[in-house]
Amino acid sequence: MNQALLTKPEGQKRAKILALANQKGGVGKTTTAINLATALAACDRRVLIVDIDPQGNASTGLGVNRHARAVTSYDVLLGDAPIGTATVPTAVPGMSIVPASLDLSGAEIELVQSSRRREFRLRDALGAAAQDYDFILIDCPPSLNLLTLNALVAADAVLVPLQCEFYALEGLSQLVKTIERVRRAFNPALEIQGVVLTMFDRRSNLCDLVAADVRGYFGSKVYDTVIPRNVRVSEAPSHGKPVLLYDMRCAGSQAYIHLASEVLRREQGALNPEMVQ
Ligand SMILES: Nc1ncnc2c1ncn2[C@@H]1O[C@H](COP(=O)(O)OP(=O)(O)OP(=O)(O)O)[C@@H](O)[C@H]1O
Ligand SMILES: [Mg+2]
């Protein structure tokens, strides 16, 4: 990794908030949240993952057991707890998580019934944490519901994990429309941070074709780094660990390290354009 990326840029005072979103299920949102966060923490960045998926996969995948989830993103979203009280450390130095619990599946209904700033709950809550981190990664559920809407309103940018399969682009147009709507109604600064191709199989022609299509549509927004399908990546959550702690040398870990350096390079380029020349 480029040494310059290990040095935090001057001038970044507030966390960059990224929502990992794609309403399609099982495309690698949670895996990317956990492992990109770990790789960013390994680059000396302070990282918070906010799990707003009632499935709680990011929480489980990081070994936060159900008993350690006394206060969760549910309480934070309903305004019953400040974010700090819901934050728990992980085994990765510099990385914490606000876990989710099943209660969260009821939060949508409760939020719909409450009229007060229901789209802004996460944004309001994260305001208090933004000074304490360099990156906040929000792991969204596979739906464009009020929980995901809260993430899009809170975020600076959306990072879209995309599995190279036949209907991949079709689903994306719905997400892009939602992002545009959020921009108009709630969060004019919301950007697409990037699209990351996940579970890529180099032997599959379909993967190559879909990747070419996605690059044709999103251009340079698509990261050069492609996350390969790798069995170690899928084994790691059952050990409650990011794949970088489970098997640092495997192809999946290496890909997430590359992705983190690409994210940092682009961020530094945005803050300080001459650094990327
Ligand atoms: N690079 C990879 N190689 C192999 N398996 C992977 C890889 N990335 C993710 N997986 C596996 O694919 C499944 C779906 O991944 P993940 O849970 O990250 O997707 P998701 O988009 O968060 O799903 P959901 O929409 O349900 O939240 C998981 O079992 C995960 O372990
Ligand atoms: Mg998930």
Side-chain angles (χ1 to χ4, degrees), residues 46-277:
R46 299 160 303 165
V47 189
L48 177 68
I49 296 182
V50 182
D51 187 353
I52 60 155
D53 183 352
Q55 297 178 100
N57 292 342
S59 314
T60 313
L62 283 169
V64 183
N65 67 39
R66 303 251 165 220
H67 307 293
R69 300 185 206 177
V71 187
T72 65
S73 54
Y74 168 79
D75 306 289
V76 171
L77 278 163
L78 288 186
D80 293 338
I83 192 142
T85 61
T87 304
V88 291
T90 69
V92 179
M95 182 170 116
S96 304
I97 182 168
V98 174
S101 63
L102 270 175
D103 301 338
L104 198 53
S105 53
E108 240 226 301
I109 299 161
E110 291 173 62
L111 285 176
V112 168
Q113 287 165 351
S114 100
S115 55
R116 202 183 56 80
R117 288 176 70 76
R118 62 184 182 198
E119 298 88 359
F120 289 88
R121 295 301 181 89
L122 191 57
R123 184 185 185 134
D124 292 346
L126 288 184
Q131 310 296 324
D132 300 333
Y133 298 94
D134 297 305
F135 284 93
I136 298 178
L137 270 47
I138 309 169
D139 186 26
C140 294
S143 147
L144 295 172
N145 60 11
L146 190 52
L147 294 170
T148 299
L149 189 59
N150 260 269
L152 298 179
V153 172
D156 297 305
V158 191
L159 202 158
V160 185
L162 189 100
Q163 195 182 342
C164 288
E165 57 194 354
F166 191 58
Y167 291 114
L169 264 178
E170 227 165 85
L172 267 196
S173 62
Q174 214 181 327
L175 178 63
V176 169
K177 273 190 204 132
T178 305
I179 292 171
E180 280 163 7
R181 219 174 306 135
V182 170
R183 229 183 249 145
R184 278 197 302 274
F186 306 109
N187 183 6
L190 184 66
E191 292 178 329
I192 295 183
Q193 174 85 3
V195 178
V196 57
L197 301 174
T198 60
M199 292 181 251
F200 197 84
D201 181 355
R202 291 192 188 284
R203 293 161 306 179
S204 148
N205 288 338
L206 180 63
C207 266
D208 286 333
L209 286 173
V210 175
D213 258 8
V214 175
R215 289 188 193 281
Y217 187 74
F218 283 97
S220 61
K221 288 277 181 203
V222 185
Y223 291 104
D224 296 333
T225 307
V226 166
I227 311 296
R229 185 174 282 285
N230 177 237
V231 68
R232 307 299 269 170
V233 173
S234 57
E235 288 167 1
S238 62
H239 298 268
K241 285 181 180 172
V243 70
L244 277 125
L245 294 191
Y246 178 62
D247 180 355
M248 203 185 83
R249 288 169 191 276
C250 75
S253 293
Q254 293 302 310
Y256 276 110
I257 291 170
H258 279 116
L259 181 64
S261 60
E262 223 186 320
V263 168
L264 291 174
R265 210 165 48 233
R266 290 182 181 204
E267 275 304 294
Q268 295 197 354
L271 284 174
N272 193 355
E274 67 271 18
M275 279 194 71
V276 284
Q277 272 151 35

